[in-house]
């Protein structure tokens, strides 16, 4: 269907079914109490179609279809935020020139740990995750907190449930519309990370043992917003604080995972370097170099989190370096032994030759003396 055909179809739907908004004031919409048409026109679909064409030519106000939005909202809740469903949602928002549904979907997913971490899963994990309900207490309520368990994922191994390539494609698609979603991403991450910070203090073992937990760091590191000045002093700081306050075992697993699975470690490092740079500039703005102030750069709020995060990425970079196999190492060891033995033999031959030459010179010196 052409773009014009889609517009006409929307006018037709608006005349027959309305937009679903009980407060609608559009006289050309069936949902409005001020609907200008005699309802008998609805019995003749040809007349409705002709009127829809006329309205499209006159560019009459076209409502946002609340019924369609509800349908898509329900679909988003059912389906994972896959590349296909995300593209469908974006196309829908483009067609109606309204990004509210995309922003609401982002908020629902990115502001909730369980919703976010149940997305972008590998196929063999998505169908076999066991849900284990536990309870967390808060100051105001006792909401349920869910932790996902799978015997294939432990702190001791290097397995992860995340389909990294699929996640990267979806995040890239999503961030190509950053002008429409950046504020929602900021708001959602603020809610998510504060929730995580609380859980890390109260249920650290359960959280770190969650089969999907480490997916979060790959997803957030993939967001270009981490280097955005609007995110650096709150969202990024909170994120790096959570990362660097994990247990030693969890930090070790993060380092191993990054070294094993990511091929864009430089992007992660760039995020943290940008973070440290802007915090250093902020420190310089309120500390004069010539002053006697004993306030060090390391004391700048947020600097410790950035430095510690960079240290973890440095370890991951070392671990990801190309390492020789045991067979190659053993071959090199044997070759080194052969080389050492050969050097010893050469040195011995050299010493023997030197001794022979010395003896020959002594004999040559004795001959003239004997003749005299």
């Amino acid at each position: 269907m052409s773009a014009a055909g889609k517009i006409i179809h929307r006018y037709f739907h608006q005349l027959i079914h309305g937009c679903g908004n009980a407060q609608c004031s559009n006289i050309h919409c069936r949902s409005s109490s001020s609907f200008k048409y005699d309802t008998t026109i609805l019995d003749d679909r040809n007349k409705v179609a002709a009127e829809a064409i006329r309205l499209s030519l006159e560019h009459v106000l076209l409502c946002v279809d609340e019924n369609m939005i509800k349908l898509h909202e329900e679909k988003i809740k059912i389906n994972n935020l896959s590349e296909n469903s995300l593209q469908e949602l974006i196309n829908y928002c483009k067609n109606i020139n309204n990004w509210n549904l995309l922003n609401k979907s982002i908020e629902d997913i990115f502001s909730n740990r369980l919703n976010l971490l149940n997305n972008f899963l590998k196929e063999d994990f998505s169908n076999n995750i066991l849900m284990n309900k536990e309870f967390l207490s808060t100051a105001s309520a006792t909401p349920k907190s869910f932790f996902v368990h799978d015997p294939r994922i432990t702190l001791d191994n290097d397995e992860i449930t995340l389909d990294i390539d699929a996640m990267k494609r979806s995040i890239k698609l999503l961030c190509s519309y950053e002008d429409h979603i950046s504020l929602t991403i900021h708001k959602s991450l603020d809610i998510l990370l504060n929730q995580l910070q609380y859980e890390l203090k109260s249920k650290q073992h359960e959280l770190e043992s969650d089969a999907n937990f480490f997916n979060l760091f790959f997803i957030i590191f993939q967001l270009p917003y981490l280097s955005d000045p609007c995110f650096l002093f709150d969202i990024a700081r909170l994120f790096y604080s959570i990362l660097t306050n994990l247990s030693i075992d969890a930090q070790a697993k993060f380092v191993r995972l990054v070294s094993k699975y990511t091929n864009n470690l430089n992007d992660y490092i760039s995020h943290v370097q940008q973070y440290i740079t802007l915090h250093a500039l902020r420190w310089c703005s309120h500390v004069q170099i010539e002053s006697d102030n004993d306030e060090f750069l390391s004391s700048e709020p947020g600097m410790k989190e950035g430095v510690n995060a960079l240290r973890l990425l440095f370890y991951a970079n070392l671990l990801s370096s190309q390492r020789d196999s045991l067979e190659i190492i053993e071959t090199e060891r044997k070759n080194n032994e052969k080389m050492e033995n050969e050097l010893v033999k050469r040195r011995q031959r050299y010493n023997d030759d030197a001794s022979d030459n010395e003896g020959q010179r002594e004999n040559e010196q004795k001959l003239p003396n004997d003749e005299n």
Side-chain angles (χ1 to χ4, degrees):
M1 184 183 295
S2 65
K6 291 179 180 179
I7 294 295
I8 294 172
H9 183 268
R10 287 182 59 196
Y11 278 113
F12 183 87
H13 181 84
Q14 181 173 292
L15 291 170
I16 296 292
H17 302 289
C19 68
N21 181 4
Q23 307 299 321
C24 180
S25 59
N26 184 0
I27 61 174
H28 299 96
C29 177
R30 176 69 186 276
S31 296
S32 173
S33 58
S34 304
F35 188 51
K36 66 173 289 186
Y37 300 97
D38 188 333
T39 54
T40 57
I41 189 179
L42 304 179
D43 297 330
D44 189 339
R45 296 303 172 94
N46 290 329
K47 290 183 179 180
V48 176
E51 183 63 12
I53 294 173
R54 186 186 70 80
L55 294 178
S56 68
L57 293 174
E58 295 180 3
H59 303 290
V60 171
L61 176 64
L62 190 59
C63 294
V64 174
D65 192 336
E66 298 290 337
N67 292 320
M68 189 62 70
I69 288 178
K70 291 177 182 177
L71 177 64
H72 277 265
E73 285 178 350
E74 186 63 28
K75 188 173 182 180
I76 286 295
K77 290 178 182 177
I78 294 172
N79 294 334
N80 286 331
L81 193 58
S82 65
E83 190 176 8
N84 290 336
S85 62
L86 181 59
Q87 185 65 69
E88 181 182 354
L89 179 58
I90 288 173
N91 290 340
Y92 174 77
C93 292
K94 277 183 177 179
N95 289 336
I96 65 173
N97 194 28
N98 187 305
W99 298 90
N100 289 339
L101 178 55
L102 178 61
N103 279 288
K104 187 178 187 309
S105 300
I106 290 172
E107 184 175 356
D108 289 343
I109 292 172
F110 278 85
S111 65
N112 183 281
R113 172 177 60 82
L114 188 64
N115 290 346
L116 179 60
L117 298 185
N118 277 342
N119 279 279
F120 317 120
L121 298 180
K122 295 176 183 175
E123 186 175 354
D124 55 335
F125 283 103
S126 60
N127 297 324
N128 295 292
I129 291 294
L130 301 175
M131 301 302 299
N132 179 34
K133 297 181 181 180
E134 297 194 10
F135 294 88
L136 286 176
S137 60
T138 64
S140 58
T142 56
K144 293 179 180 178
S145 180
F146 297 90
F147 297 98
V148 179
H149 297 279
D150 189 295
R152 294 167 292 178
I153 306 294
T154 69
L155 283 177
D156 297 326
N157 64 30
D158 300 342
E159 295 299 323
I160 192 171
T161 63
L162 181 67
D163 186 336
I164 294 180
D165 291 334
M167 179 272 294
K168 286 181 179 180
R169 292 193 299 269
S170 294
I171 294 296
K172 181 179 180 180
L173 175 61
L174 185 64
C175 291
S176 60
Y177 298 91
E178 60 179 321
D179 290 344
H180 301 288
I181 65 172
S182 60
L183 292 178
T184 302
I185 289 286
H186 187 285
K187 174 184 175 183
S188 302
L189 289 180
D190 185 49
I191 296 172
L192 171 71
L193 295 175
N194 276 287
Q195 173 198 355
L196 277 170
Q197 190 175 54
Y198 172 79
E199 289 184 316
L200 195 62
K201 293 177 181 178
S202 59
K203 291 280 187 178
Q204 182 166 358
H205 175 71
E206 291 87 341
L207 186 64
E208 293 178 353
S209 300
D210 187 302
N212 296 335
F213 175 60
F214 288 91
N215 300 3
L216 177 135
F217 299 103
F218 286 90
I219 294 171
I220 295 182
F221 259 125
Q222 195 63 33
L223 294 171
Y225 302 105
L226 275 186
S227 294
D228 189 320
C230 296
F231 285 68
L232 279 172
F233 296 105
D234 50 4
I235 300 301
R237 179 182 177 183
L238 196 52
F239 175 59
Y240 297 141
S241 175
I242 291 171
L243 173 60
T244 56
N245 279 286
L246 299 178
S247 67
I248 296 300
D249 289 340
Q251 289 186 36
K253 174 159 185 173
F254 169 78
V255 168
R256 296 196 306 271
L257 288 173
V258 172
S259 69
K260 179 178 179 180
Y261 286 102
T262 185
N263 57 3
N264 55 348
L265 180 57
N266 287 339
D267 293 338
Y268 296 4
I269 293 174
S270 295
H271 283 320
V272 183
Q273 287 176 332
Q274 176 81 343
Y275 174 90
I276 292 174
T277 299
L278 288 190
H279 277 75
L281 290 174
R282 187 172 68 171
W283 175 80
C284 291
S285 69
H286 62 76
V287 175
Q288 297 295 326
I289 302 299
E290 300 83 3
S291 71
D292 296 330
N293 194 330
D294 59 356
E295 182 180 352
F296 295 105
L297 176 58
S298 58
S299 66
E300 175 68 19
M303 183 61 71
K304 179 181 71 174
E305 290 85 348
V307 171
N308 288 340
L310 189 61
R311 183 178 292 115
L312 291 178
L313 296 178
F314 173 74
Y315 294 151
N317 188 49
L318 288 178
L319 193 59
S320 65
S321 301
Q322 187 67 38
R323 287 162 289 176
D324 293 332
S325 65
L326 293 178
E327 292 79 5
I328 293 177
I329 293 175
E330 180 63 19
T331 300
E332 289 183 348
R333 185 186 66 78
K334 292 179 179 179
N335 289 338
N336 287 336
E337 287 183 356
K338 291 179 181 179
M339 181 63 70
E340 289 178 1
N341 292 333
E342 181 63 26
L343 288 174
V344 169
K345 291 178 181 179
R346 290 183 181 182
R347 191 176 298 112
Q348 185 63 46
R349 287 197 298 268
Y350 174 81
N351 291 336
D352 292 343
D353 291 343
S355 297
D356 292 342
N357 292 335
E358 183 66 25
Q360 184 177 357
R361 282 197 298 271
E362 290 178 356
N363 291 332
E364 290 176 352
Q365 290 175 357
K366 288 179 180 180
L367 286 175
N369 294 332
D370 292 341
E371 291 176 356
N372 293 331

